[in-house]
Amino acid sequence: MIHRSASITHFWKSARRAGTAEAPRHGPSDARIASALRQLRDEGHRAVRILDLDCGNGERLMRAAALARELGFVAIEGRGASLSVRCIRHARREAASQAHPSTGLQFEIADPMALLASEHDGAADLVLLSDAMPYPASPLGVALARVCIGPLLGAE
């Protein structure tokens, strides 16, 4: 058991040094994201704006954008934020390599509150969180209510 744990620790340390991954993140599953996107599509949306707070290496936001394209959205805008310079650098490289004409993804070094503070009221159709939903009266909860007009998806 100790040997296995040590090898997993070694894997994540080497992946972080390489700048390709980071420790597994929590957050909504692809099925929940697809369900929320279907709901938006069924309400008549053809364009979608997604915020990913604490996006890590950007995989979740890139998967959400791909799901939106599969569901027929014609304009997809995504904005992800993380405090990890290495992860944001990786996310930007991956987004550039997977670029699609209907999709614009931005990745920024910022904390969730800073990202939300720079958004207009009602600017996001969907917000992805790595953690559980915040208490509604907390500063983060109030900022999310101001910015997001659609589903808020937190950790399961």
Side-chain angles (χ1 to χ4, degrees):
M1 187 71 173
I2 295 173
H3 181 323
R4 183 176 182 182
S5 176
S7 65
I8 291 171
T9 302
H10 173 71
F11 168 77
W12 288 117
K13 284 182 179 179
S14 63
R16 282 187 172 179
R17 276 194 298 274
T20 59
E22 68 170 21
R25 304 196 79 57
H26 301 285
S29 66
D30 287 353
R32 285 182 64 212
I33 294 169
S35 176
L37 289 168
R38 270 190 225 94
Q39 176 188 344
L40 291 168
R41 183 197 60 197
D42 294 346
E43 291 171 359
H45 292 255
R46 293 297 169 245
V48 66
R49 187 150 194 283
I50 305 167
L51 298 182
D52 189 351
L53 307 183
D54 193 21
C55 69
N57 63 11
E59 289 180 23
R60 180 176 50 221
L61 183 56
M62 287 184 264
R63 283 194 320 269
L67 286 168
R69 279 193 304 274
E70 289 173 15
L71 290 169
F73 285 89
V74 296
I76 303 150
E77 187 178 331
R79 189 172 176 206
S82 175
L83 292 174
S84 171
V85 174
R86 185 173 293 167
C87 287
I88 292 297
R89 197 177 303 137
H90 173 76
R92 288 174 178 165
R93 274 194 309 269
E94 286 298 310
S97 73
Q98 299 175 23
H100 190 275
S102 68
T103 307
L105 299 178
Q106 295 178 337
F107 293 96
E108 304 168 27
I109 301 164
D111 73 351
M113 288 302 292
L115 180 79
L116 292 171
S118 67
E119 291 287 334
H120 296 290
D121 293 355
D125 298 303
L126 174 63
V127 175
L128 309 175
L129 304 169
S130 293
D131 297 318
M133 297 295 293
Y135 182 68
S138 71
L140 181 58
V142 170
L144 286 167
R146 180 186 66 80
V147 169
C148 189
I149 59 173
L152 295 169
L153 300 180
E156 299 169 336

